């Protein structure tokens, strides 16, 4: 144990020592991470932490805080340590069996909501989230549009367990159909057709994974990262099967990686005759979302 940690008599001392420890291990945003881990270990909100700064630090909270500091210094994402991540203004449970929801994926959800409202003028639709992971997309759609029928598919039982928990946590789990299987197979087996297909699939080329940040490379599920040799294998599988499950009119919305938008757009144009393909950029100006409207004339 770091000798300095014996000096964690008060909450304030713990915060300062935690910050210094993370700085020494070159962890990004050490002050913020120290604060977040400390108040989570204590079970306090931010106001509670700073109004009770000079109180004694309980032993159990100190042990939990020290353990988390060590784990964060080893590269474990802070979201896995505290067990949650915010997405679209809601809290989602995360653990190493699921990818941590990213802020840029909110653009994907915003695109689905906006375009569905344009096409169906507020009428209820059926939407499927392919490779649901933590359930962030499916749960958000079901919560934002309570009259929609939402289907969530993932091949990982562990991921589906977390997704179900997030559905219950956010009050929409009973309105989502959870299906285990490989991409579109569960829909094809049930002859189920949908209005909207949305997916944030694995899109990182396999050869690039060893060069990712340690937090991602060593701790997030490879199944949720690896898109095959060129990162496009999941899109090929999805695009090939979508005509069999998509109603007319229909909407397909994908998140894509760097330099993939044009290729994925061409896939959709070839697979969906007459589709209107368009792109939505992230805040950095990179095409982040590729979408296609079908049956629009």
């Amino acid at each position: 144990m770091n000798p300095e940690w014996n000096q964690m008599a008060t909450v304030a001392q713990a915060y300062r020592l935690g910050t210094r420890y993370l700085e020494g291990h070159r962890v990004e945003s050490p002050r913020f991470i120290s604060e977040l881990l400390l108040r989570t270990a204590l079970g306090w909100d931010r106001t509670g932490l700073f109004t009770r700064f000079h109180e004694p630090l309980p032993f159990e909270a100190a042990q939990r805080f020290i353990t988390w500091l060590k784990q964060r210094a080893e590269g474990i994402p802070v979201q896995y340590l505290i067990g949650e991540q915010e997405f679209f203004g809601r809290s989602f449970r995360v653990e190493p069996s699921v990818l941590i929801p990213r802020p840029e994926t909110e653009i994907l959800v915003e695109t689905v909501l906006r375009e569905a409202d344009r096409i169906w003028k507020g009428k209820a639709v059926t939407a499927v989230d392919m490779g649901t992971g933590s359930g962030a997309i499916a749960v958000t759609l079901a919560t934002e549009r309570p009259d929609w029928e939402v289907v969530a598919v993932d091949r990982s039982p562990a991921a589906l367990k977390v997704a179900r928990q997030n559905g219950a946590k956010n009050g929409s789990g009973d309105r989502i159909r959870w299906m285990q299987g490989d991409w579109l197979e569960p829909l094809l087996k049930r002859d189920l057709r949908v209005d909207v297909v949305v997916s944030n699939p694995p899109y990182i080329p396999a050869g690039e994974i060893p060069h990712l940040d340690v937090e991602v490379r060593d701790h997030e599920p490879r199944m949720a990262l690896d898109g095959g040799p060129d990162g496009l294998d999941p899109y090929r599988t999805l695009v090939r099967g979508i005509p069999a499950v998509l109603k007319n009119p229909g909407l397909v919305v994908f998140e894509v990686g760097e330099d993939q938008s044009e290729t994925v757009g061409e896939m959709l144009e070839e697979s969906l005759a007459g589709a209107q393909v368009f792109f939505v950029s992230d805040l950095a100006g990179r095409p982040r979302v590729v979408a296609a409207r079908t049956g629009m004339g």
Side-chain angles (χ1 to χ4, degrees), residues 26 30 41 53-54 57 94 116 121 127 129 132 143 154 167 212 222 229 233-234 242:
R26 299 186 177 181
F53 225 33
H54 299 292
L57 181 68
V94 292
K121 312 297 183 186
D129 174 22
T132 196
T143 308
D154 205 290
L212 296 174
R222 188 180 178 102
D233 281 357
I242 280 174

Side-chain angles (χ1 to χ4, degrees), residues 59-292:
F59 177 78
E60 287 188 4
Q63 295 304 302
R64 193 176 304 121
F65 181 53
I66 291 168
T67 298
W68 284 347
L69 288 171
K70 292 178 180 177
Q71 291 174 326
R72 183 66 195 99
E74 291 167 359
I76 298 178
V78 68
Q79 293 92 338
Y80 289 154
L81 298 178
I82 67 174
E84 67 176 13
Q85 168 70 358
E86 185 177 291
F87 183 83
F88 225 84
R90 299 180 179 91
S91 175
F92 285 83
R93 172 175 171 74
V94 292
E95 56 184 54
S97 61
V98 299
L99 196 71
I100 298 165
R102 266 56 172 187
E104 53 266 30
T105 302
E106 294 186 1
I107 300 169
L108 181 75
V109 173
E110 289 166 354
T111 303
V112 173
L113 296 173
R114 181 181 63 251
E115 294 300 320
D117 287 349
R118 284 181 57 188
I119 297 169
W120 290 282
K121 312 297 183 186
K123 294 179 182 176
V125 302
T126 300
V128 62
D129 174 22
M130 285 291 158
T132 196
S134 67
I137 295 170
V139 171
T140 301
L141 293 176
T143 308
E144 292 290 322
R145 299 290 186 269
D147 56 338
W148 285 19
E149 180 183 352
V150 178
V151 181
V153 178
D154 205 290
R155 61 180 170 177
S156 164
L160 275 178
K161 181 180 178 181
V162 175
R164 284 176 179 272
Q165 291 172 343
N166 282 320
K169 178 184 176 78
N170 286 283
S172 59
D174 57 345
R175 290 186 284 104
I176 299 174
R177 294 178 67 180
W178 308 98
M179 297 183 183
Q180 184 186 347
D182 197 24
W183 298 120
L184 292 158
E185 284 180 7
L187 274 66
L188 295 169
K189 285 179 181 176
R190 295 168 175 82
D191 197 25
L192 179 62
R193 292 172 66 82
V194 299
D195 302 291
V196 181
V197 175
V198 57
S199 185
N200 176 22
Y203 53 66
I204 298 173
E208 292 182 11
I209 291 176
H211 307 294
L212 296 174
D213 289 344
V214 64
E215 288 88 346
V216 178
R217 182 191 70 219
D218 293 347
H219 299 288
E220 296 201 62
R222 188 180 178 102
M223 185 189 298
L225 300 170
D226 191 342
D230 62 359
L232 297 170
D233 281 357
Y235 299 104
R236 294 187 182 96
T237 300
L238 287 167
V239 170
R240 189 164 53 241
I242 280 174
V245 303
L246 191 66
K247 294 180 185 179
N248 195 31
L251 176 67
V252 180
V253 187
F254 291 148
E255 182 171 325
V256 296
E258 195 85 24
D259 300 323
Q260 294 177 334
S261 57
E262 287 190 18
T263 304
V264 174
E266 289 169 1
M267 289 181 191
L268 287 168
E269 287 176 342
E270 291 173 9
S271 178
L272 302 170
Q276 299 173 356
V277 174
F278 62 99
F279 308 93
V280 182
S281 297
D282 59 21
L283 294 176
R286 294 180 295 244
R288 175 64 62 179
V289 169
V290 179

Side-chain angles (χ1 to χ4, degrees), residues 8 32 39 96 116 151 205 265:
M8 284 189 184
F32 171 76
R39 60 184 169 87
V151 181

